[in-house]
Amino acid sequence: MKILIADDELFFRTFIKDMLERAGLEVVGTAKDGTEAIEMARELRPDVVILDVVMPGMDGLEAAKKLCSSGLPLHVVMLSSVGHGTIVTEALAAGASAYINKPPTEEEVLDVIENLGPVGGTGEKSS
Amino acid sequence: MDSSKYKSLFLQETYEHLSGIEKGLLTLEKTPGEEAIVDKLFRHYHSVKGLCAAMGYKTMKRLTHAQEDLLDGIRQTKSTVASQEMISVLLECLDVLKEMAQRIEEDRAIDIDIEPLIKRLNQSTGGLEKGAAQRAGYESPEKPLKPQPPSGAGLKLSSIMKVEGKVFDELLNLTGELLTVLSGLKALAAQSRAIELKEEVYSLGKTIEALRTNILTSRMLPFQDLTQNLPRIVRDISRKNGKQIELKIEGSEISLDRSILEKMGDPLVHIIRNAVDHGIEDPEERKKAGKPELGTIAVKAVGRKERVVIEVEDDGRGIDCERLRHKALSIGMPEESVRAMSDGEALMLICLPGLSLAGSITDVSGRGVGMDVVKDVVEGLGGSLAIESTPGTGTRIVMELPRTASILKVLLVSVAGEFFFIPVARVEKVLEVKKEAVSGKTIMYQERQIPLITLANALGLECASGERENSVVVVVHETNGQSGKEEALFGLGVDDVSDELDAYIRPLMPPLTKLWGVTGISILGDGRPVFLVDLSQVAEKTKGRY
């Protein structure tokens, strides 16, 4: 399972990356904003993109919409703070697969990631 | 649990956000209702809140959350502009957040009572009813995380590292010692025939020199570190005085040695406080004088090779030289000399202790250091201070300072049982002469008479009449010798010359700056403090006798 993390804070990029790597998941990249996330998603072909809602430049919601309609075989997981209910709902409606509350706990992150299921049959289940 | 890693990340990002908040609030105060800034501020608060929540800092999170709510309120009720009162509360909260971050950094408890602030924030938010209503009903779950050790996957930490400042002083000290050892080795190598030894010593010398340059560079901090708090200080004082002031800062990227920058903090604040309190006039007074109501204070740093010039200029009422002269007379300075002073000289009177005009114009100042201390600090750092002022137009204070800390080549001499340093750069020659030869006020050197002064006498030390037959005279240059003219020399009588060293000379700070004849201090390997002789000052003394 290849994962891309987009958050404007180095703190959370590191934090979530550590969690995922501890669980043996592969973090293929970290992005600082929506634009970077989309570029990196095209290039690195992750299975999951974790998107923070609040980012400067292109925010998480816009990035989620673009990624979901891009045709790339991937899951979008929103990283939402309390009070972003409407944004998350909109993202889910646009095709995002799940959301994680911020700050995330290891349990919650792994639970969400592991229950994502295949995307259009291209999930790397063999690995 | 590797919480220290997260803590340093937390602090790094939090400090960035806090300085962004400060900048934003100050801008918002000037241009209330600007949406882009409100948005930016909201994001900063939001991020700090998230960071605090992740680290489990509940109090800090709660305070940030309340501020975020207020900002969100301002954002939602677009018609409402942020009031002065709101900005003041937010700035107060910011101070508390800074204090909290500081405590976290120092591993101290964050036991600060935030309830009064929360109450005021909530009142402000309540005032923005619409916004408050929209945000009702959010429950914030506290989920402090328990980070576990990373799996060893390549974690990229920031390449910037926090190191306690004194480590750099110690590094510089040690480099000084290395240089001293090196010169010993060089002397040995010079006597030796072993070519390998010579080569090794040569390459060791190159490495030590590179090390020294690196350490000097690592000690440099941008002028901005000193000026970043100025907008806030100016805002706070000018609000209290009912003045309108714009602060302009230029050259914040110029870097200076941290020891110099650190010591310039209080003087700079004092000068600016003076400018706000006494320089810039009230808006009405400015209007009457045909000036814009908004006063300007400009702080500027300009790098000039090894030196830096820091200027503080205001467009206020200027310094009244007549008033200074009166004040000088009133404290008992002889009338003749006061009358004989040019305006420029009279301006410098402000640097005499007890001669500040502070009390005579308004009563607000008088806190912290006076201009006398400012001058002492600047000169103690090896710099100089100049004041220019035009009544009715403004005042400019120019401080010229060295940029780097100095490792000086010095000669260790003993005088009346004490050690002193003489800068090697100023030494022309060391002579051993018959005792009788040093009894006069001059001595023959290269077929001419040069003034002679006994260092012990000059410094007011008891002259121990040595038993030795010969005396040692160090022939030194009177000035730094960059004038290009034939340089004046004079002889300095000392008891003995013991060694040539590389020493990290620290500037003297008040009250030590009052000491006559010395200009810096260094600590010897065995812990003994040694003063650096101020040759220019000693030279003045020879002129008096000549």
Side-chain angles (χ1 to χ4, degrees):
Chain A
M1 181 89 85
K2 294 192 289 185
I3 302 168
L4 174 70
I5 303 165
D7 193 316
D8 54 329
E9 308 260 10
L10 172 64
F11 179 90
F12 283 109
R13 293 199 298 273
T14 313
F15 204 83
I16 296 167
K17 185 165 178 269
D18 283 356
M19 278 180 183
L20 295 170
E21 286 178 347
R22 272 198 296 275
L25 295 165
E26 187 190 354
V27 176
V28 289
T30 56
K32 289 192 288 293
D33 57 37
T35 318
E36 215 174 282
I38 290 172
E39 275 169 25
M40 289 175 85
R42 286 189 202 286
E43 195 169 314
L44 303 169
R45 298 299 168 116
D47 302 302
V48 181
V49 182
I50 299 178
L51 283 175
D52 184 27
V53 170
V54 182
M55 289 188 285
M58 192 195 293
D59 65 19
L61 176 61
E62 203 183 331
K65 286 179 179 167
K66 291 211 164 130
L67 281 173
C68 291
S69 62
S70 67
L72 287 169
L74 48 77
H75 282 293
V76 169
V77 174
M78 302 307 289
L79 196 54
S80 117
S81 300
V82 186
H84 290 139
T86 34
I87 297 176
V88 169
T89 317
E90 202 177 323
L92 289 174
S97 309
Y99 69 93
I100 301 169
N101 282 316
K102 206 174 171 180
T105 60
E106 187 149 351
E107 220 182 338
E108 190 180 354
V109 172
L110 297 181
D111 192 43
V112 166
I113 301 283
E114 275 157 17
N115 288 310
L116 283 175
V119 184
T122 50
E124 289 177 32
K125 280 180 200 158
S126 53
S127 61
Chain B
M1 162 166 115
D2 186 15
S3 63
S4 65
K5 176 180 85 185
Y6 294 111
K7 197 173 107 176
S8 68
L9 280 174
F10 165 83
L11 286 169
Q12 193 186 321
E13 304 223 318
T14 301
Y15 280 131
E16 268 168 36
H17 287 301
L18 292 183
S19 77
I21 288 173
E22 177 149 12
K23 226 184 244 167
L25 288 176
L26 293 174
T27 320
L28 194 62
E29 186 170 43
K30 278 185 206 148
T31 50
E34 189 163 320
E35 277 176 43
I37 291 165
V38 175
D39 272 350
K40 230 181 189 169
L41 275 167
F42 174 79
R43 261 209 293 278
H44 282 308
Y45 282 116
H46 181 79
S47 299
V48 175
K49 186 188 75 176
L51 289 164
C52 293
M55 293 295 287
Y57 300 136
K58 290 188 188 172
T59 324
M60 192 166 176
K61 191 206 127 183
R62 205 163 147 242
L63 183 60
T64 320
H65 195 164
Q67 296 176 81
E68 185 194 2
D69 277 351
L70 176 54
L71 254 295
D72 199 31
I74 298 173
R75 205 162 64 143
Q76 308 270 348
T77 58
K78 280 181 183 157
S79 54
T80 317
V81 293
S83 70
Q84 287 281 337
E85 163 59 15
M86 282 178 199
I87 297 206
S88 290
V89 182
L90 288 169
L91 281 171
E92 273 173 59
C93 290
L94 176 66
D95 290 341
V96 175
L97 290 180
K98 281 185 190 166
E99 168 70 21
M100 286 172 165
Q102 184 76 33
R103 290 194 185 193
I104 288 166
E105 187 170 2
E106 290 161 5
D107 287 321
R108 286 154 59 207
I110 320 178
D111 49 355
I112 300 176
D113 181 18
I114 56 166
E115 294 315 318
L117 282 174
I118 297 265
K119 211 170 151 193
R120 284 171 64 197
L121 284 169
N122 288 344
Q123 276 166 3
S124 295
T125 314
L128 305 161
E129 276 167 60
K130 208 164 108 201
Q134 275 178 351
R135 294 187 54 80
Y138 289 136
E139 196 46 53
S140 53
E142 289 286 355
K143 294 186 293 176
L145 295 163
K146 294 179 198 71
Q148 283 151 27
S151 61
L155 171 76
K156 307 265 182 323
L157 272 183
S158 153
S159 59
I160 294 178
M161 184 169 110
K162 267 206 154 117
V163 180
E164 228 186 310
K166 66 178 184 207
V167 173
F168 289 99
D169 289 350
E170 189 52 26
L171 278 173
L172 204 54
N173 257 336
L174 290 170
T175 316
E177 280 173 31
L178 266 182
L179 284 165
T180 306
V181 175
L182 178 71
S183 52
L185 273 177
K186 273 183 180 161
L188 279 179
Q191 289 163 18
S192 163
R193 287 183 153 190
I195 197 83
E196 294 92 340
L197 177 66
K198 288 177 199 279
E199 278 174 359
E200 292 300 320
V201 169
Y202 173 75
S203 68
L204 181 66
K206 274 180 76 170
T207 313
I208 294 177
E209 185 48 38
L211 182 68
R212 187 186 79 99
T213 314
N214 263 299
I215 290 173
L216 283 179
T217 314
S218 71
R219 294 171 54 92
M220 305 292 269
L221 291 174
F223 185 51
Q224 181 186 353
D225 284 16
L226 207 59
T227 57
Q228 63 184 357
N229 292 324
L230 288 180
R232 177 71 185 279
I233 290 170
V234 168
R235 174 219 178 249
D236 286 356
I237 327 174
S238 55
R239 268 199 84 195
K240 207 156 57 194
N241 293 359
K243 295 181 180 174
Q244 291 170 16
I245 295 172
E246 185 187 7
L247 177 72
K248 288 183 183 162
I249 298 174
E250 265 180 65
S252 38
E253 75 290 348
I254 300 282
S255 58
L256 278 91
D257 186 84
R258 58 177 292 277
S259 65
I260 297 167
L261 204 59
E262 202 174 26
K263 295 193 171 100
M264 284 308 294
D266 286 347
L268 198 58
V269 169
H270 177 76
I271 293 171
I272 289 192
R273 201 180 270 279
N274 264 348
V276 179
D277 277 352
H278 314 303
I280 306 283
E281 313 87 333
D282 298 332
E284 302 96 75
E285 197 182 330
R286 291 181 65 88
K287 218 170 165 183
K288 268 183 223 159
K291 290 179 174 181
E293 284 175 44
L294 186 69
T296 306
I297 297 177
V299 179
K300 196 161 97 181
V302 186
R304 287 189 190 149
K305 283 186 188 163
E306 299 297 296
R307 316 282 290 179
V308 64
V309 177
I310 298 176
E311 278 182 23
V312 180
E313 188 169 13
D314 68 63
D315 66 349
R317 58 168 71 88
I319 299 171
D320 186 341
C321 292
E322 264 323 291
R323 211 167 195 150
L324 271 173
R325 287 197 179 96
H326 278 296
K327 188 124 191 203
L329 291 173
S330 75
I331 63 159
M333 281 186 77
E335 184 157 3
E336 262 173 70
S337 57
V338 173
R339 286 296 151 212
M341 281 176 184
S342 67
D343 279 2
E345 286 166 333
L347 274 177
M348 292 310 283
L349 283 171
I350 209 164
C351 297
L352 289 176
L355 248 177
S356 150
L357 275 184
S360 59
I361 296 178
T362 74
D363 289 325
V364 191
S365 199
R367 287 193 262 176
V369 298
M371 274 311 282
D372 53 328
V373 180
V374 172
K375 184 163 179 267
D376 280 355
V377 170
V378 171
E379 287 179 355
L381 289 168
S384 62
L385 177 133
I387 304 173
E388 297 159 22
S389 186
T390 317
T393 318
T395 303
R396 187 154 76 128
I397 296 187
V398 184
M399 290 163 287
E400 195 243 357
L401 294 160
R403 260 176 106 163
T404 52
S406 48
I407 291 184
L408 266 190
K409 270 205 179 306
V410 290
L411 202 59
L412 186 64
V413 300
S414 62
V415 172
E418 300 287 337
F419 282 111
F420 288 94
F421 284 142
I422 296 174
V424 166
R426 299 272 286 271
V427 174
E428 167 84 8
K429 207 172 181 84
V430 177
L431 310 170
E432 198 166 350
V433 294
K434 287 260 180 276
K435 201 158 207 171
E436 306 83 72
V438 298
S439 53
K441 288 173 185 174
T442 57
I443 188 171
M444 281 299 282
Y445 175 71
Q446 288 181 346
E447 295 167 10
R448 61 180 169 130
Q449 294 276 333
I450 58 167
L452 172 71
I453 188 160
T454 317
L455 191 54
N457 285 342
L459 297 170
L461 294 168
E462 279 295 315
C463 211
S465 50
E467 306 294 298
R468 285 184 314 241
E469 286 174 28
N470 293 334
S471 265
V472 179
V473 171
V474 183
V475 179
V476 293
H477 296 266
E478 199 179 294
T479 57
N480 271 329
Q482 274 145 14
S483 54
K485 292 179 201 157
E486 169 111 5
E487 291 170 62
L489 297 171
F490 70 97
L492 207 55
V494 298
D495 295 346
D496 205 358
V497 169
S498 46
D499 215 345
E500 194 180 309
L501 301 171
D502 290 280
Y504 163 42
I505 305 288
R506 289 164 214 243
L508 293 179
M509 280 298 116
L512 286 184
T513 40
K514 298 264 181 273
L515 286 175
W516 189 90
V518 291
T519 174
I521 195 167
S522 183
I523 312 292
L524 285 186
D526 60 6
R528 255 180 312 175
V530 177
F531 283 110
L532 179 72
V533 174
D534 184 344
L535 289 175
S536 310
Q537 219 168 34
V538 172
E540 289 299 314
K541 203 152 190 165
T542 67
K543 280 182 193 152
R545 295 168 160 220
Y546 210 35

